[in-house]
Amino acid sequence: MPDRGGGPTGPRIRAARPSRRVRVLLVTLGVLAVLGMAFTMFAGFWTDWLWYRSVHYSSVFTTTLSTKIGLFFVFGLLMAAAVGLNIWLAHRLRPPLSAMSMEQQSLDRYRMAIAPYKKWLLLAVTALVGLIAGASASSQWRTWLMWVNGVSFHQKDPQFHLDVSFYAFDLPWYRFLLGFGFAAAILCLIAAALTHYLYGGLRVTSPGGRATAAATGHLSVLLGIFVALKAVAYWLDRYGLAVKSSDFKATGNWTGLRYVDANAYLPAKTILFCIAVICALLFFATLWRRTWQLPVIGFGLMVLSAILIGGLYPAIVQKFQVQPNEQAKEAPYVQKNLKATREAYGIDQAKVTEYPGRSTTSDKTKLRDQVDATASIRIMDPNVVSPTFQQLQQIKAYYGFPTNLDVDRYPKDGKEQDTVIGLRELNLDGIPKNNWINDHFRYTHGFGVVAAKGTEADAEGRPVFTEQNLPSQGDLGSYEQRIYYGEKTTTYSIVGGPQKEVDYSDNDREMTTSYQGRSGVNLDNPVNRAAYAVAFNEPQILYSGAIGKGSRILYNRTPKERVEAVAPWLTIDGDAYPAVVNGRIQWIVDAYTTSNGYPYSSRTTLGDTTADSLTATNNSRAVVAQQNQVNYIRNSVKATVDAYTGEVKLYQWDTQDPVLKTWMKAFPDTVEPRSAISADLMDHLRYPQDLFKVQRELLTRYHVTDAQTFLTGSEVWEVPDDPTNNSGSAVPPYYLSMRMPGQSEQAFSLTTTFTPNGRDNLSAFMAVDSDPRTSDYGRIRVLKLPTNTTVDGPKQVQSQFNSESAIAETISLLSRGHSKVEYGNLLTVPLDGGLLYAEPVYVRGGSLKYPLLRKVLVTYEGKTAFKDTLDEALNEVFGVKSSTKPPQTGTNPPNTANPTVKQALEDAQKAFDAGQQALKNGPDWDAYAKAQKDLQDALKRAEEAQAKAGATGGKNGDRSADKSAGENRS
């Protein structure tokens, strides 16, 4: 053949082959690259296995992995076999001779080109589609486990009378199978059509018939399978109507059947199912008739029917039957939605009672006394005072507190009191010098709990600490104070080996320790070290001399991260909180089971519903959702994470939840029974915030139980924006010990307010009993205010507060210079038919970088007070002092007649002054530590002297010394 390239002709030059050494080098590099990739994959798998084994949840790893592998191979092989079989069959059914045409001559070149590689090409195509299908199927491991382990809800939907488990567990799996079937049918159809075309079974431009009889029969069967699957889809769509989401003008987001669904779409789906079955049979009949005329006509009729019956007819029903009388037509279906939604979100037992919004008692003394009995008003806002904890109790720069502290209950003098609590966690940004050894070997843990009364502040506006100093001392007694696992601990540490860890500083000495727990993964094994060096991209793990016998690596150290890893089927509450339980610091994590398949229950988006002004500024408080769109939720699991050992325990909380029972079947022995919860742990459990936020959002519409009222929208509420800041986000719920109307005594509660849609006045107040030791735990009480009167809502109260001239002038004075005013939580308390508002006001003043409580706002029945203390503000609002509280006459003075006591207290005052000066200078932590030691020594001398005196005055002095010690240490 002539050279068609247009270039010169001549002897052909052979390309130079690389030398043998180069070839060996290239092969060696290729082998090393493959081995490196293989070891990288192995390292990820191996480190995961070691971690799950270290936390004693290896069954979660093996069950999840085996399920993924099983689904990968089963569906990957099914897809590969289906596509490969159809390619092979199309090749076998090729015509013996192709027509002589330009089209076939062009295809001959492709046929000749692939002829030597047909088997390899077939294997490559089938392997590729198999890998893709297997990877897609393996991601459905949750769907498979829920289907194969599903238990009954013992509740039936009102339309088809099927158990809810069919929609929650079965229908998602059937839909996956259907989707897989559609994908397989389409891929097989494409592969078969291309093969028939390549080998002459299908012709586009060649003369004669466009398809051979064999190709016609083959493709008809595949089209028949596709249409048969469409028939199955129509049948499943009937049940899908019960969980279908749509936009309903009258109510917004809607789930379930409406009038048009039940009377138009449902019969339409049934008719289309029948048409699709007939159409599929016509396609199968081409095996004998060898013509596509009838199937094509049938398919065209099916498409036309889908447009007319499935689209046009429901639109006509909606336009001419529903819209002229929408409320009457939709009311029965709205009633079903109301019932199902309230059940699915656990708000069906919410008790809504009318509340006047105005006090009916004229006796001001009685009202003033009722305040103390009604609520323990918290003036220490855990979302404001973290910098104060940081400044007064950080002690060392390498410790830190979370941005938002927590509220819990601890006993004091035989009574429980609301307590603001935080852990002194490790802060790597504050260590003297950052390097690999310091970051991962020397500074490995935090130390101690810091707690303060929620209802009190000292004379300087500082928290009244009940647990403080380093090591921590106070009301919590003896407990393991080292914190290896916490919210701020996000990097790995290597402990227990030859390298000692910094424990804490005791005045002039730096104390060291070595981790004694069994947590983490042992690095004695060189394979483990190599795997972690690759997994963490840190080569020093492989060869560092700081790692030796007994070294263990700790990682995945935040409480939410650990619970999510051992229970990947749970949704994790955004706020894990610490508690001292049985001599150990335990992180308590609330976890939820969710579903998206509860019939007639309206859906909610967890990420949006649980957002508030706190999550807007602190992403770590966001919910960790496995499934963001849900229409069923239960707080089914309470989990704990030991701050020292990292041990994770899951406890069954909701013993009736069928979703939890399903997962417990899938992962047996991972969740302990509720009876395993100790009494000490039970004292610190509480109602979770994210569940409460979801429920309050649903209750803005679903507090009504009458369909007609629901449809009018006249009773729609909304959660107000946080009035204390400019975030524009919803006000967070607040924990508060209070007594709701009808309750005999105060209970630890979670509270929120509602305003009418588009307005700022108050429409309702909501509280849920959060103490699990009471029979009322989880009971939701809603106080609904009358619509014919207006009661100030949070935003109006805040506006009134800012607009009063005397208050505004005081705020202006407090804000002078470099000072900054910060508003604390605006608490709402129902009181004798009215509503009492209380809000602490903090000031960051001058050289102080932390907020101190300076004022308290109290508003009741239109009267506002702005005073230095809560008692003073309450007294001014009601015009009288409490008759149930003793007069504030101050603290009994110490017995200063004793010269030893007198000298000791003078020394204590000097030490205290020196400590305060040290805080202002830098702060100078060494000088502060020395002052604290001198202070403790002086107080101890005073205490011993008074104990020897044995007199009443000595006892009074002893109490004064204790109080002084508490104040000075703060």
Side-chain angles (χ1 to χ4, degrees):
M1 297 291 290
D3 183 6
R4 297 181 184 274
T9 60
R12 190 173 293 175
I13 300 174
R14 298 179 60 186
R17 295 183 62 191
S19 66
R20 184 173 183 274
R21 179 178 298 176
V22 173
R23 293 200 303 273
V24 171
L25 178 61
L26 291 174
V27 170
T28 302
L29 291 175
V31 171
L32 290 176
V34 171
L35 290 176
M37 293 175 62
F39 189 77
T40 300
M41 296 174 62
F42 166 78
F45 161 80
W46 186 242
T47 53
D48 284 347
W49 160 248
L50 291 174
W51 186 85
Y52 276 96
R53 190 176 65 175
S54 73
V55 294
H56 309 296
Y57 282 89
S58 54
S59 63
V60 174
F61 179 82
T62 55
T63 299
T64 304
L65 182 64
S66 62
T67 303
K68 289 180 178 178
I69 292 174
L71 292 172
F72 176 87
F73 279 105
V74 169
F75 286 95
L77 289 173
L78 282 175
M79 183 67 78
V83 173
L85 176 64
N86 280 279
I87 293 175
W88 174 83
L89 187 59
H91 181 264
R92 285 292 303 270
L93 296 176
R94 69 190 185 279
L97 295 174
S98 57
M100 296 302 295
S101 65
M102 293 299 295
E103 179 185 21
Q104 293 303 315
Q105 289 177 15
S106 299
L107 290 173
D108 277 340
R109 282 179 287 186
Y110 293 105
R111 287 192 285 263
M112 292 174 63
I114 67 174
Y117 311 106
K118 285 192 294 187
K119 291 183 179 179
W120 292 108
L121 186 60
L122 176 63
L123 288 174
V125 171
T126 55
L128 179 62
V129 297
L131 286 172
I132 296 173
S136 176
S138 66
S139 66
Q140 298 294 320
W141 63 272
R142 290 185 179 88
T143 308
W144 160 260
L145 288 176
M146 293 185 78
W147 178 69
V148 78
N149 296 288
V151 302
S152 174
F153 273 69
H154 300 295
Q155 289 177 282
K156 294 184 178 181
D157 78 284
Q159 181 66 41
F160 302 102
H161 307 293
L162 296 174
D163 192 271
V164 173
S165 61
F166 171 79
Y167 302 93
F169 306 140
D170 300 342
L171 191 58
W173 178 249
Y174 297 153
R175 281 176 164 166
F176 163 71
L177 292 178
L178 186 63
F180 178 82
F182 274 123
I186 292 171
L187 288 175
C188 289
L189 188 61
I190 293 172
L194 289 174
T195 306
H196 280 300
Y197 175 72
L198 182 63
Y199 287 97
L202 290 178
R203 293 183 289 275
V204 178
T205 62
S206 300
R210 299 299 184 192
T212 63
T216 300
H218 185 194
L219 296 179
S220 295
V221 169
L222 291 176
L223 286 169
I225 292 173
F226 179 86
V227 176
L229 290 172
K230 187 61 180 174
V232 176
Y234 281 134
W235 188 257
L236 289 180
D237 284 347
R238 298 169 68 255
Y239 303 110
L241 292 172
V243 290
K244 183 194 73 171
S245 287
S246 60
D247 185 29
F248 188 13
K249 181 178 66 174
T251 62
N253 181 36
W254 171 272
T255 299
L257 285 85
R258 291 156 51 192
Y259 180 89
V260 69
D261 297 312
N263 295 277
Y265 281 111
L266 186 56
K269 296 291 183 183
T270 305
I271 295 171
L272 289 172
F273 164 75
C274 297
I275 294 173
V277 170
I278 295 171
C279 187
L281 293 175
L282 291 177
F283 273 109
F284 293 141
T286 56
L287 285 172
W288 296 276
R289 292 180 55 84
R290 303 294 184 182
T291 176
W292 281 356
Q293 185 177 7
L294 285 178
V296 169
I297 293 174
F299 187 77
L301 289 174
M302 187 182 76
V303 173
L304 182 62
S305 299
I307 295 172
L308 295 178
I309 302 174
L312 184 60
Y313 174 62
I316 292 173
V317 171
Q318 177 68 26
K319 179 70 174 177
F320 295 101
Q321 291 190 30
V322 177
Q323 288 186 6
N325 192 16
E326 187 172 50
Q327 289 199 13
K329 295 291 187 183
E330 299 289 12
Y333 304 95
V334 169
Q335 200 66 51
K336 296 175 184 179
N337 176 269
L338 281 169
K339 182 176 183 296
T341 303
R342 288 168 62 86
E343 289 174 350
Y345 289 95
I347 57 177
D348 51 321
Q349 299 300 317
K351 184 179 180 182
V352 180
T353 57
E354 299 294 331
Y355 192 70
R358 291 284 183 266
S359 174
T360 57
T361 301
S362 58
D363 187 343
K364 299 299 184 182
T365 302
K366 182 179 178 181
L367 280 175
R368 175 63 184 88
D369 292 342
Q370 281 186 16
V371 175
D372 300 321
T374 300
S376 299
I377 298 175
R378 180 169 39 77
I379 57 175
M380 283 290 115
D381 186 347
N383 306 309
V384 173
V385 299
S386 178
T388 309
F389 274 52
Q390 183 85 0
Q391 184 70 24
L392 300 180
Q393 287 297 315
Q394 180 188 23
I395 310 299
K396 291 294 183 180
Y398 47 81
Y399 294 131
F401 292 90
T403 304
N404 305 105
L405 304 178
D406 289 289
V407 177
D408 202 348
R409 304 90 74 203
Y410 285 90
K412 179 71 174 179
D413 299 329
K415 288 185 176 182
E416 280 196 345
Q417 66 177 10
D418 291 358
T419 302
V420 177
I421 186 172
L423 301 189
R424 194 183 286 112
E425 295 189 47
L426 179 66
N427 174 28
L428 288 178
D429 293 335
I431 66 176
K433 183 178 181 181
N434 287 101
N435 55 53
W436 190 63
I437 294 295
N438 279 347
D439 291 353
H440 300 290
F441 291 81
R442 295 267 301 155
Y443 296 92
T444 59
H445 60 278
F447 207 99
V449 173
V450 176
K453 294 181 180 180
T455 56
E456 293 184 29
D458 69 8
E460 299 298 323
R462 298 170 299 189
V464 177
F465 290 108
T466 57
E467 186 79 8
Q468 60 183 328
N469 294 341
L470 185 69
S472 293
Q473 302 170 5
D475 296 343
L476 301 185
S478 176
Y479 58 95
E480 173 56 67
Q481 297 197 18
R482 296 171 182 85
I483 303 161
Y484 283 87
Y485 295 87
E487 291 180 305
K488 297 173 70 69
T489 315
T490 56
T491 188
Y492 71 89
S493 290
I494 299 176
V495 299
Q499 180 67 58
K500 291 293 185 181
E501 310 161 42
V502 174
D503 204 19
Y504 66 92
S505 295
D506 182 10
N507 297 327
D508 299 328
R509 296 182 302 159
E510 186 175 76
M511 311 295 288
T512 60
T513 188
S514 186
Y515 184 66
Q516 301 299 315
R518 303 303 301 166
S519 181
V521 177
N522 200 314
L523 294 179
D524 287 350
N525 189 328
V527 175
N528 291 358
R529 292 178 66 169
Y532 279 102
V534 171
F536 289 175
N537 194 27
E538 185 51 73
Q540 293 186 80
I541 294 177
L542 184 61
Y543 56 78
S544 174
I547 302 175
K549 184 175 178 58
S551 292
R552 311 180 72 84
I553 184 168
L554 313 180
Y555 61 105
N556 288 356
R557 297 169 71 182
T558 65
K560 291 194 294 185
E561 190 177 32
R562 292 179 79 78
V563 175
E564 182 192 15
V566 303
W569 35 272
L570 289 174
T571 293
I572 312 301
D573 189 271
D575 183 27
Y577 61 98
V580 177
V581 179
N582 296 321
R584 308 193 71 85
I585 300 173
Q586 297 281 354
W587 288 98
I588 301 175
V589 183
D590 284 289
Y592 312 107
T593 47
T594 60
S595 175
N596 197 23
Y598 198 99
Y600 273 100
S601 173
S602 291
R603 287 181 172 84
T604 188
T605 304
L606 291 179
D608 296 336
T609 308
T610 58
D612 58 24
S613 62
L614 298 183
T615 61
T617 57
N618 186 0
N619 289 332
S620 65
R621 292 181 68 95
V623 64
V624 182
Q626 299 294 340
Q627 190 178 28
N628 200 24
Q629 274 272 333
V630 304
N631 67 353
Y632 171 93
I633 186 170
R634 289 290 185 271
N635 176 214
S636 52
V637 171
K638 301 284 189 181
T640 61
V641 178
D642 192 292
Y644 183 77
T645 66
E647 181 184 23
V648 182
K649 287 188 176 182
L650 307 175
Y651 297 100
Q652 182 183 15
W653 185 247
D654 189 334
T655 57
Q656 304 301 316
D657 178 28
V659 181
L660 178 60
K661 291 179 180 178
T662 296
W663 286 119
M664 289 175 67
K665 281 182 63 179
F667 296 96
D669 302 323
T670 56
V671 181
E672 298 187 32
R674 180 167 177 159
S675 58
I677 299 177
S678 67
D680 201 5
L681 175 59
M682 188 71 77
D683 289 343
H684 298 281
L685 300 182
R686 67 188 192 188
Y687 201 82
Q689 292 188 59
D690 283 338
L691 175 61
F692 184 80
K693 286 188 279 189
V694 169
Q695 291 175 326
R696 75 172 179 179
E697 180 64 31
L698 267 296
L699 280 168
T700 58
R701 291 175 293 136
Y702 287 90
H703 62 276
V704 301
T705 56
D706 175 64
Q708 295 293 340
T709 306
F710 186 82
L711 283 166
T712 63
S714 61
E715 290 291 331
V716 174
W717 301 336
E718 63 182 18
V719 179
D721 291 342
D722 191 341
T724 64
N725 58 54
N726 297 319
S727 66
S729 301
V731 62
Y734 295 122
Y735 287 106
L736 184 69
S737 289
M738 60 173 295
R739 185 182 66 189
M740 287 283 282
Q743 287 184 297
S744 59
E745 58 184 12
Q746 291 185 21
F748 190 63
S749 304
L750 190 55
T751 66
T752 192
T753 54
F754 296 107
T755 57
N757 191 23
R759 296 165 60 195
D760 293 327
N761 56 289
L762 198 68
S763 58
F765 176 82
M766 172 183 171
V768 62
D769 194 315
S770 300
D771 191 340
R773 297 166 298 181
T774 67
S775 59
D776 285 342
Y777 172 81
R779 177 173 295 181
I780 298 173
R781 295 178 174 89
V782 180
L783 304 180
K784 181 177 178 294
L785 279 75
T787 56
N788 58 353
T789 60
T790 57
V791 178
D792 288 343
K795 187 175 181 180
Q796 291 173 320
V797 170
Q798 190 71 40
S799 177
Q800 176 187 356
F801 165 49
N802 293 333
S803 62
E804 288 198 12
S805 58
I807 296 175
E809 184 178 349
T810 305
I811 292 295
S812 177
L813 290 172
L814 293 173
S815 303
R816 285 184 177 177
H818 298 288
S819 298
K820 178 184 177 184
V821 172
E822 297 183 22
Y823 301 113
N825 38 221
L826 180 57
L827 301 176
T828 309
V829 177
L831 178 67
D832 190 56
L835 289 149
L836 176 77
Y837 288 95
E839 181 180 62
V841 179
Y842 302 84
V843 176
R844 292 182 192 241
S847 61
L848 292 177
K849 304 301 181 183
Y850 56 94
L852 296 176
L853 181 68
R854 291 305 186 202
K855 296 286 183 178
V856 178
L857 159 76
V858 172
T859 298
Y860 185 74
E861 299 278 306
K863 187 172 176 62
T864 301
F866 191 53
K867 292 296 182 179
D868 293 342
T869 68
L870 176 62
D871 277 344
E872 290 175 0
L874 290 170
N875 293 342
E876 178 168 318
V877 163
F878 294 103
V880 293
K881 294 183 178 180
S882 172
S883 64
T884 61
K885 282 188 174 181
Q888 301 290 327
T889 57
T891 306
N892 290 329
N895 183 11
T896 54
N898 187 319
T900 306
V901 173
K902 183 177 180 180
Q903 182 60 47
L905 292 178
E906 289 177 358
D907 293 342
Q909 184 62 46
K910 292 178 181 178
F912 171 74
D913 294 339
Q916 295 303 300
Q917 188 62 40
L919 288 175
K920 295 179 181 179
N921 297 335
D924 186 343
W925 292 113
D926 292 334
Y928 178 77
K930 184 178 184 303
Q932 289 296 296
K933 184 177 184 303
D934 293 341
L935 173 63
Q936 292 174 4
D937 291 343
L939 292 175
K940 186 176 180 181
R941 282 189 281 115
E943 183 179 359
E944 291 174 350
Q946 291 196 39
K948 290 179 180 179
T952 304
K955 293 178 182 179
N956 290 338
D958 192 20
R959 285 195 295 270
S960 177
D962 287 342
K963 185 176 187 298
S964 177
E967 291 177 347
N968 289 335
R969 282 195 290 268
S970 68

